């Protein structure tokens, strides 16, 4: 699995967009990029994943750089409920083995 | 559909004892993974079971073991508990493929005194 680097913390205002960056410069061609988040006192939850193309779902968008060495998770309108630790993971093989880094703690201000 | 359930939710043990934690995956899921979360080390992968076979293993000592039953339910066991084993133990289930979503349970909080 590729090593990922994320900022330790970020702040956002409620109802504004949030861009969470992730660097994965050693990513291989078969590695998927996954994002999970962990709300306080809960287990992690899936957010989004992608391989090469940008992806959208009801929770967020994932923008992947053309060289795939970085990606950005986009929350279009942050809410207080989005305050969590966001983890970026990059790896191939089955997702039963997820290698988590330290993640980014997102604070959302009202 | 019911989510991943873990029992017990909280546990207090003393050094030297052993403990067994249980995880019931989402119906239809054949993969169950276990993770340890501590403030110092973060989320660390312990092992994964798929169709009753250990498919992946993390870098933990042999005191940490697990098994999976034919109904996909899984247990993990920690023998000869140490103070450093105090942690939140999380279980996740999935279908077992390359991009399958992992669904995590609420965890079992283990305190070793």
């Amino acid at each position: 699995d590729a090593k990922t680097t994320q900022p330790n913390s970020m702040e956002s205002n409620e109802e504004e967009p949030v861009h969470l960056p992730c660097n994965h410069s050693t990513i291989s061609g078969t590695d998927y990029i996954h994002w999970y988040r962990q709300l306080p006192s809960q287990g992690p939850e899936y957010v989004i994943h992608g391989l090469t193309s940008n992806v959208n779902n009801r929770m967020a968008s994932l923008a992947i750089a053309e060289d795939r060495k970085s990606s950005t998770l986009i929350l279009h309108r942050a809410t207080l409920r989005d305050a969590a630790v966001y983890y970026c993971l990059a790896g191939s093989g089955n997702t039963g083995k997820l290698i988590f880094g330290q993640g980014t703690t997102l604070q959302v201000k009202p | 559909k019911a989510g991943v359930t873990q029992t017990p939710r909280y546990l207090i043990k003393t050094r030297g004892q052993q403990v067994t934690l249980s995880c019931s995956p989402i119906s239809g899921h054949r993969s169950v993974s276990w993770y340890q979360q501590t403030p110092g080390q973060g989320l660390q992968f312990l092992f994964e079971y798929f169709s009753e076979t250990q498919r992946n293993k993390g870098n933990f000592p042999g005191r940490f073991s697990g098994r999976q039953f034919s109904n996909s339910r899984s247990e993990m066991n920690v023998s000869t508990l140490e103070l450093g084993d105090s942690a939140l133990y999380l279980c996740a289930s999935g279908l077992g493929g390359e991009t399958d979503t992992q669904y995590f349970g609420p965890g079992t909080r283990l305190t070793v005194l």
Side-chain angles (χ1 to χ4, degrees):
Chain A
D1 292 5
K3 178 177 167 56
T4 59
T5 304
Q6 300 176 252
N8 288 332
S9 62
M10 292 185 64
E11 286 184 357
S12 172
N13 294 319
E14 198 175 10
E15 298 193 1
E16 290 186 354
V18 182
H19 290 233
L20 297 164
C22 179
N23 286 318
H24 28 77
S25 58
T26 61
I27 196 170
S28 74
T30 57
D31 287 346
Y32 281 84
I33 300 156
H34 303 264
W35 284 81
Y36 282 75
R37 72 179 185 180
Q38 187 171 20
L39 302 172
S41 302
Q42 293 187 26
E45 65 174 351
Y46 168 82
V47 178
I48 201 167
H49 76 274
L51 184 61
T52 56
S53 304
N54 294 344
V55 184
N56 300 296
N57 66 22
R58 64 174 182 81
M59 288 182 68
S61 295
L62 175 60
I64 301 172
E66 196 169 335
D67 63 6
R68 301 208 328 123
K69 293 185 177 182
S70 66
S71 61
T72 302
L73 179 70
I74 302 166
L75 307 179
H76 296 286
R77 290 184 64 202
T79 69
L80 297 177
R81 195 192 170 279
D82 291 322
V85 179
Y86 286 79
Y87 296 99
C88 166
L89 305 91
S92 57
N94 71 79
T95 52
K97 178 183 179 182
L98 295 174
I99 305 302
F100 290 86
Q102 293 304 307
T104 296
T105 300
L106 175 66
Q107 292 183 324
V108 180
K109 297 180 178 179
Chain B
K1 190 184 274 192
V4 177
T5 58
Q6 293 187 245
T7 56
R9 293 292 312 279
Y10 301 91
L11 206 48
I12 300 175
K13 292 286 188 178
T14 56
R15 278 182 300 174
Q17 287 186 312
Q18 75 165 12
V19 67
T20 299
L21 311 181
S22 180
C23 172
S24 293
I26 289 172
S27 177
H29 286 185
R30 296 165 64 190
S31 166
V32 174
S33 302
W34 289 89
Y35 296 82
Q36 180 195 66
Q37 186 169 31
T38 60
Q41 299 298 318
L43 268 162
Q44 292 186 287
F45 171 76
L46 278 158
F47 32 66
E48 182 214 5
Y49 285 85
F50 181 80
S51 294
E52 301 180 67
T53 301
Q54 188 179 85
R55 186 162 68 169
N56 285 295
K57 188 176 187 305
N59 295 323
F60 278 81
R63 299 185 298 107
F64 293 82
S65 63
R67 59 178 176 170
Q68 186 179 33
F69 302 95
S70 58
N71 62 359
S72 292
R73 190 177 68 85
S74 177
E75 290 181 345
M76 71 162 280
N77 184 277
V78 187
S79 63
T80 319
L81 283 166
E82 302 176 359
L83 295 179
D85 296 333
S86 294
L88 180 67
Y89 290 88
L90 291 156
C91 160
S93 77
L95 293 172
E98 190 170 14
T99 61
D100 295 326
T101 299
Q102 290 292 296
Y103 295 87
F104 284 80
T108 294
R109 172 73 62 185
L110 172 65
T111 302
V112 182
L113 303 176

